[in-house]
Amino acid sequence: DETKPEVPGQYYHFNVEGVIFIVLNSQLYYDDSNLLDSSKHEQTEWFESIINGIQGESSSTVKNVVILTHIPPFGASPEEEHGWSNWQ
């Protein structure tokens, strides 16, 4: 009887010995299409709730937070023009 691992949703988080890993679907932020607005909003609210929860935890519980994305939020500067690596 082989157990298959649970496949997480488009965004999720997990804790490994006090290091919180947050995985985001960065395509939602890269694509400026209005078709994704509700998904983008839902993920952003979820992300903010995770961050607020972490901030409320004891500093002895959380050692670090790592945010993982496929598309980086920007290449060199948050103010740069929209391109292959700049979210909207």
Side-chain angles (χ1 to χ4, degrees), residues 19-56:
V19 179
I20 309 294
F21 292 86
I22 301 173
V23 181
L24 297 175
N25 178 357
S26 55
Q27 187 66 37
L28 296 175
Y29 300 107
Y30 176 75
D31 188 336
D32 59 0
S33 165
N34 291 338
L35 299 174
L36 299 176
D37 282 349
S38 65
S39 296
K40 183 188 310 185
H41 179 73
E42 182 179 303
Q43 177 177 266
T44 300
E45 284 189 340
W46 171 86
F47 176 72
E48 289 172 351
S49 74
I50 297 301
I51 294 299
N52 290 335
I54 291 169
Q55 290 174 339

Side-chain angles (χ1 to χ4, degrees), residues 2-14 23:
E2 187 176 317
T3 303
K4 294 183 180 179
E6 182 179 330
V7 177
Q10 290 191 37
Y11 47 90
Y12 53 96
H13 76 288
F14 56 95
V23 181

